[in-house]
Amino acid sequence: MKNAELYADEWSKLATDRKKEKIESLLAELTLPFIFSGMETFSLNGVTTETIVLNCEGRSFVFVPGCKRAILGWDRGIEGLYESALEDIASSFESVLDPLTWWRRQLALAVDAQDGNLPYIEEQVMELEQNPPEKPDDDLKAFYSFQGLETYVNENTSPVRTADLPPMIVERGLSEAGLIHLGQVNRRTNEHWVTSKHFDRVKDYLYKFNTELTTAVYSRCCRFERTKDDPALYDVYLYERLTYKDLISQLDAEGFALPTEDQWEYLCGAGRRLLFQFGNQFDEDYRYSHMCEEGENILEKPNMFGLSIAYDPYKYELVTGPCQVKGGDGGAALCGGEPFIYTMLPLSAYWRETPDKTVPEDGELENGYYFYRRVLIIE
């Protein structure tokens, strides 16, 4: 089979020099300006991949080996979650169904731990004692139960199936739909590196945006983001109207494509039979995206292929196929105050958003919610 060495089983057996040789030979056949950046090894949940890191016009890419008959989709409810995760879920059910008992338990724990949030917890207990909530009805009890959760998970994940995944060169991070990088501005020296073509669109904000902010957004027109190395240096972005159809055409003209749903699920979880690609437990030492404010966001760390993927529930990642978005729910569960497990589920590799989230081909992709990664399929 052509390119047999570019599939996972064979790729893992190759020496490092041979891997580099194979990719260099492949790049020589491509018209895209990929530059070799080095070899790196990524590991997650028992899957380890030594691969090639590439750069293309300032964006980082990795080579992802293909896979024959990968198992995708999910029908196992919350099977496999550790006991500690199940205890967290049970506690979250109680917080909805019997909030007074739950807050009293938090109060006892806070007193023992001399928690700085003690006044806030005391306030919650007092409020619930003075204004007892209504008793939950049978439907609510059924939904916030393990059986209800099992049903909810299975109804909102893609069907189990096998798929052949081709070798791919994949963008490691996300690009925001409709956001164009124009250059930079130094607010210390007032120098800018924005082309004359776009200068008139941002000139009214270029020297006036609030430099106390890390990110400044103005009138859905432009955005300024402070760089990591110099607090006076900002990247300048322009918002442009972009539809799903336009994005597909734009990527095709660049020589790329969006991943299909099958490809995205594999890129996210490598076909591992885990509900969550980061594992079967929720570690208190880590921060999970917007779910808490402190600690390292474990979800943004590179996965087994070196990709930062499905790490923010607010960010829809665009794909092609039966559904058009993966990796988030637009923050619906989080903003709705749902228990932790429900805010995490849209970040599962196998979560499939409801049909009403389908993106009309000619509908504008809303800034800040729709993101994409470029994929190059190796035939």
Side-chain angles (χ1 to χ4, degrees):
M1 181 179 67
K2 182 183 178 182
N3 290 329
E5 289 181 313
L6 300 183
Y7 283 78
D9 289 344
E10 295 299 319
W11 179 263
S12 64
K13 300 174 186 176
L14 298 181
T16 299
D17 288 346
R18 177 59 178 164
K19 290 174 180 173
K20 182 179 177 182
E21 180 182 309
K22 285 291 297 182
I23 299 302
E24 287 178 336
S25 175
L26 173 67
L27 296 181
E29 301 175 4
L30 302 176
T31 58
L32 290 164
F34 285 109
I35 299 172
F36 176 80
S37 296
M39 301 287 300
E40 287 193 45
T41 298
F42 303 99
S43 185
L44 183 66
N45 288 325
V47 178
T48 298
T49 309
E50 183 188 42
T51 192
I52 311 290
V53 179
L54 303 166
N55 183 285
C56 183
E57 298 182 335
R59 303 293 295 181
S60 184
F61 290 75
V62 287
F63 168 72
V64 176
C67 181
K68 291 293 184 180
R69 298 191 62 76
I71 302 176
L72 305 173
W74 189 260
D75 63 357
R76 300 181 180 183
I78 55 173
E79 178 184 309
L81 293 186
Y82 288 179
E83 187 64 30
S84 60
L86 297 178
E87 290 172 358
D88 289 341
I89 293 170
S91 176
S92 73
F93 290 159
E94 183 184 49
S95 72
V96 175
L97 301 175
D98 188 1
L100 179 55
T101 298
W102 187 84
W103 278 106
R104 282 172 171 166
R105 183 173 290 109
Q106 305 314 305
L107 178 59
L109 294 171
V111 170
D112 289 342
Q114 297 183 333
D115 193 319
N117 291 321
L118 185 58
Y120 172 76
I121 298 173
E122 289 175 331
E123 183 180 328
Q124 299 305 306
V125 171
M126 185 179 302
E127 173 65 25
L128 288 168
E129 288 175 339
Q130 294 174 352
N131 302 285
E134 294 183 6
K135 296 292 184 181
D137 60 27
D138 290 342
D139 287 342
L140 197 65
K141 289 178 181 178
F143 184 76
Y144 291 112
S145 68
F146 281 107
Q147 183 176 350
L149 179 58
E150 293 267 351
T151 300
Y152 180 75
V153 169
N154 290 338
E155 288 179 347
N156 290 279
T157 43
S158 62
V160 174
R161 61 206 185 277
T162 59
D164 292 339
L165 286 311
M168 295 174 270
I169 294 176
V170 183
E171 190 170 11
R172 298 183 65 186
L174 292 174
S175 294
E176 184 175 337
L179 193 66
I180 303 171
H181 185 242
L182 301 186
Q184 294 181 316
V185 59
N186 189 315
R187 284 294 298 274
R188 185 187 303 111
T189 64
N190 282 343
E191 294 177 280
H192 76 82
W193 298 270
V194 175
T195 61
S196 56
K197 176 182 177 181
H198 295 108
F199 182 73
D200 284 347
R201 300 277 300 276
V202 298
K203 66 180 181 180
D204 290 339
Y205 308 98
L206 201 58
Y207 303 117
K208 298 178 182 178
F209 66 85
N210 188 352
T211 54
E212 294 181 1
L213 301 174
T214 301
T215 301
V217 179
Y218 287 88
S219 305
R220 290 194 50 162
C221 167
C222 53
R223 179 193 299 176
F224 303 91
E225 290 188 359
R226 185 186 298 156
T227 60
K228 293 180 180 180
D229 297 331
D230 185 347
L233 187 63
Y234 284 77
D235 284 305
V236 182
Y237 296 91
L238 181 69
Y239 290 121
E240 290 276 51
R241 182 182 185 277
L242 186 70
T243 67
Y244 182 79
K245 183 179 180 181
D246 290 339
L247 177 60
I248 299 293
S249 298
Q250 173 187 308
L251 293 178
D252 182 64
E254 294 174 1
F256 293 103
L258 289 177
T260 65
E261 183 181 22
D262 285 354
Q263 291 163 2
W264 190 94
E265 286 190 7
Y266 181 69
L267 294 173
C268 187
R272 293 279 286 168
R273 307 318 295 151
L274 297 170
L275 181 57
F276 295 109
Q277 60 273 19
F278 53 82
N280 285 327
Q281 64 180 333
F282 306 121
D283 195 322
E284 293 183 358
D285 292 333
Y286 291 105
R287 179 170 67 88
Y288 292 89
S289 190
H290 296 273
M291 273 55 98
C292 56
E293 297 179 355
E294 298 180 355
E296 176 187 20
N297 181 1
I298 189 173
L299 305 181
E300 287 191 71
K301 296 180 67 174
N303 71 354
M304 66 282 289
F305 296 131
L307 306 173
S308 292
I309 187 168
Y311 59 84
D312 186 333
Y314 284 98
K315 295 181 177 180
Y316 289 123
E317 299 192 27
L318 292 162
V319 298
T320 61
C323 71
Q324 293 169 303
V325 291
K326 302 283 280 185
D329 64 349
L334 187 61
C335 293
E338 290 287 355
F340 181 75
I341 182 66
Y342 294 94
T343 64
M344 294 298 294
L345 285 172
L347 302 180
S348 167
Y350 307 117
W351 182 263
R352 178 181 278 184
E353 271 292 78
T354 53
D356 65 312
K357 297 298 192 298
T358 300
V359 184
E361 284 197 351
D362 295 321
E364 184 176 355
L365 298 171
E366 187 176 354
N367 294 124
Y369 287 95
Y370 292 99
F371 294 77
Y372 64 94
R373 68 181 71 243
R374 298 168 180 85
V375 169
L376 175 64
I377 305 301
I378 300 171
E379 304 293 346

